[in-house]
Amino acid sequence: MAHAGGRPTDYNKELVEKAKHYLENHKEYGDAVPSIAGLAVVLEKARNTIYDWGSQDDKQEFSTILDKILSTQER
């Protein structure tokens, strides 16, 4: 699936599973709490891409993961 006028996205189920794993196991990656920056490093994506995916209606599962990361940070 491509953004209008952009290059194709590499967003897929495997990437979502990797994001879930990071959320649930962030300490394995050396993070005291999960973070967007940590997720970006694990997924090898720019933070802008992470935020962009989180804002897209067709990526609700990813958006939920981002919300949990931000809520855990805030807590």
Side-chain angles (χ1 to χ4, degrees):
M1 181 176 207
H3 287 279
R7 55 179 223 185
T9 181
D10 52 1
Y11 179 89
N12 57 44
K13 186 68 176 168
E14 181 181 311
L15 185 134
V16 173
E17 291 303 317
K18 197 170 184 180
K20 282 183 193 176
H21 185 270
Y22 172 74
L23 172 62
E24 296 167 1
N25 303 284
H26 52 88
K27 290 182 181 181
E28 289 180 14
Y29 298 93
D31 294 344
V33 295
S35 67
I36 301 300
L39 180 62
V41 169
V42 168
L43 297 181
E44 299 178 349
K45 303 294 172 199
R47 281 182 289 178
N48 287 344
T49 300
I50 301 296
Y51 284 116
D52 185 41
W53 286 343
S55 69
Q56 294 175 20
D57 292 338
D58 64 334
K59 295 176 176 64
Q60 189 58 45
E61 190 173 16
F62 195 80
S63 178
T64 299
I65 292 167
L66 291 190
D67 187 53
K68 287 180 181 178
I69 287 173
L70 294 171
S71 294
T72 301
Q73 277 187 314
E74 188 176 330
R75 184 174 177 208

